[in-house]
Amino acid sequence: MPRRRRLRRVVAPPGFKGFKPYGVFKSSEDKVELLYEEYEAIKLSDYDGLNHENAASLMGVSRPTFARIYESARKKIAQALVENKEIMSVYGNALLDKHWFLCKDCHARFTIPQSLTQQICALCSSKNIEPLKEIV
């Protein structure tokens, strides 16, 4: 039996649900699923410019584990670009740093500051929200 995976720390979920290639008119059911931890690895390494050691410590994983997550993300993005596939962001094996919520009406992901007492969606003001929980 394989060892149980530890949750990877993610500062914030991606700000997108997915990307579609522009100018491709076929409706492809093939999608590439980019996990939250893979998005975080790309963001920390390529966007923020951190080396793998520092990025791994921020995510709460070892450097070799970070390298595997990062390599998986790069392969998925390359596959989506070369094969004209849609990229979808999915939860995966992540632990969000703060208390994040998902609106069931508009599907927005957001946090609620502690100064606010009312829990409503930041975009559509719906009360139909649920906390994004870590998957165990």
Side-chain angles (χ1 to χ4, degrees):
M1 176 184 277
R3 194 169 73 178
R4 189 169 157 190
R5 283 187 171 188
R6 290 178 45 197
L7 296 174
R8 277 81 166 165
R9 189 175 315 124
V10 174
V11 174
F16 61 90
K17 296 175 194 169
F19 280 100
K20 290 184 182 181
Y22 179 76
V24 177
F25 299 109
K26 65 176 184 172
S27 65
S28 173
E29 293 185 14
D30 290 334
K31 295 179 172 84
V32 174
E33 292 185 343
L34 187 68
L35 303 177
Y36 279 15
E37 60 264 25
E38 292 169 335
Y39 164 81
E40 185 77 1
I42 291 287
K43 183 176 77 70
L44 291 174
S45 185
D46 293 339
Y47 184 75
D48 295 339
L50 298 177
N51 63 31
H52 285 201
E53 190 69 37
N54 293 339
S57 67
L58 283 175
M59 286 184 66
V61 296
S62 68
R63 198 219 39 87
T65 299
F66 178 84
R68 284 191 295 275
I69 294 168
Y70 178 71
E71 185 65 27
S72 172
R74 289 183 58 204
K75 283 184 179 182
K76 287 180 178 182
I77 292 170
Q79 178 188 12
L81 291 174
V82 171
E83 298 177 8
N84 298 321
K85 291 184 177 182
E86 185 177 350
I87 299 174
M88 299 296 297
S89 65
V90 292
Y91 197 88
N93 196 28
L95 169 66
L96 297 174
D97 255 2
K98 298 178 182 178
H99 300 296
W100 285 85
F101 294 88
L102 172 69
C103 178
K104 291 183 179 180
D105 294 334
C106 70
H107 305 289
R109 297 179 184 108
F110 58 92
T111 60
I112 299 176
Q114 292 180 350
S115 60
L116 293 178
T117 57
Q118 191 178 25
Q119 292 188 345
I120 60 171
C121 175
L123 292 179
C124 70
S125 300
S126 170
K127 293 183 180 180
N128 191 13
I129 63 172
E130 69 179 7
L132 277 177
K133 298 177 184 174
E134 61 224 34
I135 298 176
V136 180

